[in-house]
Short mmCIF file of all heavy atoms in Angstrom, two decimals:
data_model
loop_
_atom_site.label_atom_id
_atom_site.label_comp_id
_atom_site.label_asym_id
_atom_site.label_seq_id
_atom_site.Cartn_x
_atom_site.Cartn_y
_atom_site.Cartn_z
N ILE A 1 0.83 -1.21 0.00
CA ILE A 1 0.00 0.00 0.00
C ILE A 1 0.86 1.26 0.00
O ILE A 1 0.56 2.24 -0.70
CB ILE A 1 -0.97 0.00 1.20
CG1 ILE A 1 -1.80 -1.29 1.20
CG2 ILE A 1 -1.86 1.23 1.16
CD1 ILE A 1 -2.59 -1.54 -0.08
N VAL A 2 1.95 1.25 0.75
CA VAL A 2 2.82 2.43 0.80
C VAL A 2 3.33 2.83 -0.58
O VAL A 2 3.14 3.97 -1.01
CB VAL A 2 3.99 2.21 1.79
CG1 VAL A 2 5.13 3.19 1.52
CG2 VAL A 2 3.51 2.38 3.22
N PRO A 3 3.99 1.93 -1.34
CA PRO A 3 4.47 2.37 -2.65
C PRO A 3 3.35 2.72 -3.62
O PRO A 3 3.50 3.61 -4.46
CB PRO A 3 5.29 1.17 -3.15
CG PRO A 3 4.83 0.01 -2.35
CD PRO A 3 4.43 0.56 -1.03
N SER A 4 2.20 2.06 -3.48
CA SER A 4 1.08 2.37 -4.36
C SER A 4 0.52 3.76 -4.04
O SER A 4 0.20 4.53 -4.95
CB SER A 4 -0.02 1.32 -4.20
OG SER A 4 0.42 0.06 -4.67
N LEU A 5 0.40 4.09 -2.77
CA LEU A 5 -0.07 5.42 -2.38
C LEU A 5 0.90 6.50 -2.88
O LEU A 5 0.47 7.55 -3.37
CB LEU A 5 -0.23 5.52 -0.87
CG LEU A 5 -1.49 4.93 -0.26
CD1 LEU A 5 -1.36 4.85 1.26
CD2 LEU A 5 -2.72 5.77 -0.63
N LEU A 6 2.17 6.23 -2.73
CA LEU A 6 3.15 7.22 -3.17
C LEU A 6 3.10 7.45 -4.67
O LEU A 6 3.34 8.55 -5.16
CB LEU A 6 4.56 6.78 -2.75
CG LEU A 6 4.85 6.82 -1.25
CD1 LEU A 6 6.19 6.18 -0.94
CD2 LEU A 6 4.83 8.27 -0.74
N LYS A 7 2.74 6.40 -5.42
CA LYS A 7 2.72 6.49 -6.87
C LYS A 7 1.39 7.00 -7.41
O LYS A 7 1.35 7.82 -8.35
CB LYS A 7 3.04 5.13 -7.47
CG LYS A 7 3.29 5.15 -8.98
CD LYS A 7 3.84 3.82 -9.46
CE LYS A 7 4.22 3.86 -10.94
NZ LYS A 7 4.82 2.58 -11.39
N TYR A 8 0.27 6.54 -6.82
CA TYR A 8 -1.03 6.84 -7.41
C TYR A 8 -1.97 7.61 -6.48
O TYR A 8 -3.01 8.09 -6.92
CB TYR A 8 -1.74 5.53 -7.80
CG TYR A 8 -1.00 4.72 -8.83
CD1 TYR A 8 -0.44 3.48 -8.51
CD2 TYR A 8 -0.87 5.18 -10.14
CE1 TYR A 8 0.25 2.73 -9.46
CE2 TYR A 8 -0.18 4.45 -11.10
CZ TYR A 8 0.37 3.22 -10.75
OH TYR A 8 1.03 2.49 -11.69
N GLY A 9 -1.64 7.71 -5.21
CA GLY A 9 -2.55 8.33 -4.26
C GLY A 9 -2.64 9.84 -4.40
O GLY A 9 -1.69 10.50 -4.83
N THR A 10 -3.80 10.37 -4.02
CA THR A 10 -3.97 11.82 -3.98
C THR A 10 -3.30 12.37 -2.72
O THR A 10 -2.94 11.61 -1.81
CB THR A 10 -5.46 12.19 -3.96
OG1 THR A 10 -6.04 11.71 -2.72
CG2 THR A 10 -6.19 11.59 -5.14
N GLU A 11 -3.18 13.67 -2.66
CA GLU A 11 -2.58 14.28 -1.47
C GLU A 11 -3.42 13.99 -0.24
O GLU A 11 -2.89 13.72 0.85
CB GLU A 11 -2.44 15.79 -1.68
CG GLU A 11 -1.62 16.48 -0.60
CD GLU A 11 -0.17 16.01 -0.54
OE1 GLU A 11 0.34 15.52 -1.57
OE2 GLU A 11 0.43 16.12 0.55
N VAL A 12 -4.74 14.01 -0.40
CA VAL A 12 -5.64 13.69 0.73
C VAL A 12 -5.38 12.27 1.22
O VAL A 12 -5.28 12.02 2.43
CB VAL A 12 -7.11 13.86 0.30
CG1 VAL A 12 -8.05 13.25 1.35
CG2 VAL A 12 -7.44 15.33 0.09
N GLN A 13 -5.27 11.32 0.30
CA GLN A 13 -5.04 9.93 0.68
C GLN A 13 -3.67 9.74 1.33
O GLN A 13 -3.54 9.01 2.33
CB GLN A 13 -5.18 9.04 -0.55
CG GLN A 13 -6.60 8.99 -1.09
CD GLN A 13 -6.69 8.43 -2.50
OE1 GLN A 13 -5.66 8.09 -3.12
NE2 GLN A 13 -7.89 8.32 -3.04
N LYS A 14 -2.66 10.38 0.81
CA LYS A 14 -1.33 10.26 1.40
C LYS A 14 -1.31 10.80 2.82
O LYS A 14 -0.75 10.17 3.73
CB LYS A 14 -0.31 11.00 0.53
CG LYS A 14 -0.06 10.37 -0.83
CD LYS A 14 0.87 11.25 -1.66
CE LYS A 14 1.06 10.70 -3.05
NZ LYS A 14 1.91 11.58 -3.90
N GLN A 15 -1.91 11.97 3.02
CA GLN A 15 -1.92 12.58 4.34
C GLN A 15 -2.72 11.76 5.34
O GLN A 15 -2.39 11.70 6.53
CB GLN A 15 -2.49 14.00 4.26
CG GLN A 15 -1.65 14.99 3.48
CD GLN A 15 -0.40 15.42 4.24
OE1 GLN A 15 -0.19 15.07 5.39
NE2 GLN A 15 0.45 16.20 3.57
N ARG A 16 -3.75 11.12 4.85
CA ARG A 16 -4.62 10.34 5.75
C ARG A 16 -4.00 9.01 6.16
O ARG A 16 -4.06 8.63 7.34
CB ARG A 16 -5.98 10.09 5.09
CG ARG A 16 -6.90 9.20 5.92
CD ARG A 16 -8.28 9.11 5.31
NE ARG A 16 -9.12 8.15 6.01
CZ ARG A 16 -10.39 7.88 5.71
NH1 ARG A 16 -10.96 8.52 4.70
NH2 ARG A 16 -11.08 6.99 6.39
N PHE A 17 -3.40 8.31 5.20
CA PHE A 17 -2.99 6.93 5.48
C PHE A 17 -1.51 6.74 5.78
O PHE A 17 -1.15 5.92 6.62
CB PHE A 17 -3.38 6.03 4.30
CG PHE A 17 -4.86 5.92 4.09
CD1 PHE A 17 -5.46 6.46 2.95
CD2 PHE A 17 -5.68 5.28 5.02
CE1 PHE A 17 -6.83 6.36 2.75
CE2 PHE A 17 -7.04 5.19 4.83
CZ PHE A 17 -7.63 5.73 3.70
N LEU A 18 -0.63 7.47 5.09
CA LEU A 18 0.80 7.20 5.24
C LEU A 18 1.31 7.41 6.66
O LEU A 18 2.01 6.53 7.20
CB LEU A 18 1.60 8.02 4.23
CG LEU A 18 1.46 7.58 2.77
CD1 LEU A 18 2.20 8.54 1.84
CD2 LEU A 18 2.00 6.16 2.57
N PRO A 19 1.01 8.55 7.32
CA PRO A 19 1.51 8.70 8.69
C PRO A 19 1.00 7.61 9.63
O PRO A 19 1.74 7.16 10.52
CB PRO A 19 0.98 10.09 9.10
CG PRO A 19 0.77 10.82 7.81
CD PRO A 19 0.31 9.77 6.85
N ALA A 20 -0.26 7.18 9.45
CA ALA A 20 -0.82 6.14 10.32
C ALA A 20 -0.14 4.80 10.07
O ALA A 20 0.08 4.02 11.01
CB ALA A 20 -2.32 6.04 10.09
N ILE A 21 0.20 4.50 8.81
CA ILE A 21 0.92 3.26 8.52
C ILE A 21 2.30 3.30 9.15
O ILE A 21 2.76 2.31 9.74
CB ILE A 21 1.01 3.05 6.99
CG1 ILE A 21 -0.38 2.73 6.41
CG2 ILE A 21 1.99 1.92 6.66
CD1 ILE A 21 -0.41 2.70 4.88
N VAL A 22 2.98 4.42 9.03
CA VAL A 22 4.32 4.57 9.62
C VAL A 22 4.28 4.36 11.13
O VAL A 22 5.19 3.75 11.72
CB VAL A 22 4.90 5.96 9.28
CG1 VAL A 22 6.18 6.21 10.06
CG2 VAL A 22 5.14 6.09 7.79
N ARG A 23 3.20 4.81 11.78
CA ARG A 23 3.08 4.66 13.23
C ARG A 23 2.60 3.27 13.64
O ARG A 23 2.50 2.97 14.83
CB ARG A 23 2.09 5.71 13.78
CG ARG A 23 2.53 7.15 13.64
CD ARG A 23 1.66 8.06 14.50
NE ARG A 23 0.24 7.96 14.14
CZ ARG A 23 -0.38 8.73 13.23
NH1 ARG A 23 0.33 9.66 12.59
NH2 ARG A 23 -1.66 8.59 12.97
N GLY A 24 2.30 2.43 12.67
CA GLY A 24 1.81 1.09 12.99
C GLY A 24 0.39 1.09 13.50
O GLY A 24 -0.01 0.22 14.28
N GLU A 25 -0.42 2.04 13.03
CA GLU A 25 -1.78 2.20 13.52
C GLU A 25 -2.83 1.97 12.44
O GLU A 25 -4.03 2.06 12.72
CB GLU A 25 -1.96 3.61 14.10
CG GLU A 25 -1.06 3.89 15.30
CD GLU A 25 -1.10 5.35 15.72
OE1 GLU A 25 -1.79 6.15 15.03
OE2 GLU A 25 -0.45 5.68 16.73
N CYS A 26 -2.42 1.69 11.20
CA CYS A 26 -3.35 1.51 10.10
C CYS A 26 -2.97 0.26 9.32
O CYS A 26 -1.84 0.15 8.83
CB CYS A 26 -3.36 2.74 9.19
SG CYS A 26 -4.53 2.64 7.82
N PHE A 27 -3.91 -0.67 9.21
CA PHE A 27 -3.65 -1.96 8.56
C PHE A 27 -4.56 -2.12 7.35
O PHE A 27 -5.73 -1.76 7.38
CB PHE A 27 -3.88 -3.10 9.55
CG PHE A 27 -3.21 -2.89 10.88
CD1 PHE A 27 -3.92 -2.95 12.07
CD2 PHE A 27 -1.85 -2.60 10.95
CE1 PHE A 27 -3.30 -2.73 13.29
CE2 PHE A 27 -1.21 -2.38 12.16
CZ PHE A 27 -1.94 -2.45 13.34
N PHE A 28 -4.00 -2.68 6.30
CA PHE A 28 -4.71 -2.82 5.02
C PHE A 28 -4.81 -4.29 4.60
O PHE A 28 -4.01 -5.13 5.00
CB PHE A 28 -3.97 -2.07 3.91
CG PHE A 28 -4.44 -0.67 3.69
CD1 PHE A 28 -4.05 0.36 4.54
CD2 PHE A 28 -5.28 -0.36 2.62
CE1 PHE A 28 -4.47 1.66 4.33
CE2 PHE A 28 -5.70 0.93 2.40
CZ PHE A 28 -5.31 1.96 3.25
N GLY A 29 -5.81 -4.55 3.77
CA GLY A 29 -5.92 -5.81 3.06
C GLY A 29 -5.87 -5.55 1.56
O GLY A 29 -5.71 -4.41 1.12
N ILE A 30 -6.03 -6.63 0.77
CA ILE A 30 -6.00 -6.53 -0.69
C ILE A 30 -7.33 -7.05 -1.23
O ILE A 30 -7.74 -8.18 -0.91
CB ILE A 30 -4.85 -7.37 -1.28
CG1 ILE A 30 -3.51 -6.90 -0.72
CG2 ILE A 30 -4.84 -7.27 -2.80
CD1 ILE A 30 -2.35 -7.81 -1.07
N GLY A 31 -8.00 -6.27 -2.05
CA GLY A 31 -9.29 -6.66 -2.60
C GLY A 31 -9.20 -6.97 -4.08
O GLY A 31 -9.77 -6.24 -4.91
N MET A 32 -8.50 -8.02 -4.44
CA MET A 32 -8.34 -8.39 -5.85
C MET A 32 -9.11 -9.67 -6.19
O MET A 32 -9.99 -9.67 -7.03
CB MET A 32 -6.86 -8.57 -6.19
CG MET A 32 -6.05 -7.30 -6.18
SD MET A 32 -4.36 -7.63 -6.77
CE MET A 32 -3.55 -6.10 -6.35
N SER A 33 -8.76 -10.78 -5.54
CA SER A 33 -9.30 -12.09 -5.92
C SER A 33 -10.81 -12.17 -5.71
O SER A 33 -11.35 -11.57 -4.78
CB SER A 33 -8.61 -13.19 -5.11
OG SER A 33 -7.23 -13.22 -5.35
N GLU A 34 -11.45 -12.99 -6.56
CA GLU A 34 -12.90 -13.18 -6.48
C GLU A 34 -13.25 -14.65 -6.66
O GLU A 34 -12.45 -15.41 -7.21
CB GLU A 34 -13.62 -12.34 -7.54
CG GLU A 34 -13.46 -10.85 -7.34
CD GLU A 34 -14.42 -10.03 -8.19
OE1 GLU A 34 -15.24 -10.64 -8.92
OE2 GLU A 34 -14.36 -8.80 -8.10
N PRO A 35 -14.43 -15.07 -6.21
CA PRO A 35 -14.84 -16.46 -6.42
C PRO A 35 -14.86 -16.81 -7.91
O PRO A 35 -15.30 -16.00 -8.73
CB PRO A 35 -16.26 -16.50 -5.83
CG PRO A 35 -16.32 -15.35 -4.88
CD PRO A 35 -15.44 -14.29 -5.46
N ASP A 36 -14.38 -17.99 -8.22
CA ASP A 36 -14.41 -18.54 -9.58
C ASP A 36 -13.53 -17.77 -10.57
O ASP A 36 -13.59 -18.03 -11.78
CB ASP A 36 -15.84 -18.58 -10.14
CG ASP A 36 -16.78 -19.36 -9.25
OD1 ASP A 36 -16.36 -20.42 -8.74
OD2 ASP A 36 -17.92 -18.92 -9.04
N SER A 37 -12.72 -16.84 -10.08
CA SER A 37 -11.86 -16.07 -10.98
C SER A 37 -10.41 -16.53 -10.95
O SER A 37 -9.65 -16.22 -11.86
CB SER A 37 -11.93 -14.58 -10.63
OG SER A 37 -13.20 -14.06 -10.93
N GLY A 38 -10.03 -17.23 -9.88
CA GLY A 38 -8.64 -17.66 -9.77
C GLY A 38 -7.69 -16.47 -9.85
O GLY A 38 -7.89 -15.45 -9.20
N SER A 39 -6.68 -16.60 -10.67
CA SER A 39 -5.69 -15.52 -10.84
C SER A 39 -6.01 -14.64 -12.03
O SER A 39 -5.21 -13.78 -12.40
CB SER A 39 -4.29 -16.12 -11.00
OG SER A 39 -3.88 -16.79 -9.83
N ASP A 40 -7.19 -14.83 -12.64
CA ASP A 40 -7.58 -14.04 -13.81
C ASP A 40 -8.26 -12.76 -13.34
O ASP A 40 -9.49 -12.67 -13.28
CB ASP A 40 -8.51 -14.86 -14.70
CG ASP A 40 -8.91 -14.10 -15.96
OD1 ASP A 40 -8.29 -13.06 -16.25
OD2 ASP A 40 -9.85 -14.55 -16.64
N LEU A 41 -7.47 -11.76 -13.01
CA LEU A 41 -8.03 -10.52 -12.46
C LEU A 41 -8.90 -9.77 -13.46
O LEU A 41 -9.76 -8.98 -13.07
CB LEU A 41 -6.90 -9.61 -11.98
CG LEU A 41 -6.11 -10.12 -10.76
CD1 LEU A 41 -5.02 -9.12 -10.39
CD2 LEU A 41 -7.01 -10.37 -9.58
N ALA A 42 -8.68 -10.02 -14.74
CA ALA A 42 -9.50 -9.32 -15.74
C ALA A 42 -10.96 -9.77 -15.70
O ALA A 42 -11.83 -9.11 -16.26
CB ALA A 42 -8.93 -9.55 -17.14
N SER A 43 -11.23 -10.91 -15.02
CA SER A 43 -12.59 -11.44 -14.99
C SER A 43 -13.38 -10.98 -13.76
O SER A 43 -14.44 -11.53 -13.49
CB SER A 43 -12.55 -12.98 -15.02
OG SER A 43 -11.99 -13.48 -13.81
N VAL A 44 -12.86 -10.00 -13.02
CA VAL A 44 -13.56 -9.56 -11.81
C VAL A 44 -14.99 -9.13 -12.14
O VAL A 44 -15.25 -8.51 -13.17
CB VAL A 44 -12.81 -8.41 -11.10
CG1 VAL A 44 -11.44 -8.85 -10.63
CG2 VAL A 44 -12.71 -7.18 -11.97
N ARG A 45 -15.89 -9.47 -11.21
CA ARG A 45 -17.31 -9.15 -11.39
C ARG A 45 -17.80 -8.09 -10.42
O ARG A 45 -18.96 -7.68 -10.50
CB ARG A 45 -18.14 -10.42 -11.26
CG ARG A 45 -17.92 -11.38 -12.44
CD ARG A 45 -18.71 -12.66 -12.28
NE ARG A 45 -18.15 -13.49 -11.23
CZ ARG A 45 -18.61 -14.72 -10.92
NH1 ARG A 45 -19.63 -15.22 -11.57
NH2 ARG A 45 -18.04 -15.42 -9.97
N THR A 46 -16.97 -7.67 -9.48
CA THR A 46 -17.36 -6.58 -8.60
C THR A 46 -17.58 -5.33 -9.43
O THR A 46 -16.73 -4.96 -10.25
CB THR A 46 -16.27 -6.32 -7.53
OG1 THR A 46 -16.16 -7.47 -6.70
CG2 THR A 46 -16.60 -5.11 -6.68
#
């Protein structure tokens, strides 16, 4: 999440999340995989 925020995040997002991650107070997950999609991310149905 850190390198992605630095590359694609807005200033609002960087200010909100990066300091909290550095302090060990903000935890993230990854929302990519879906049922019946396996590793084919192009088939996402969300």
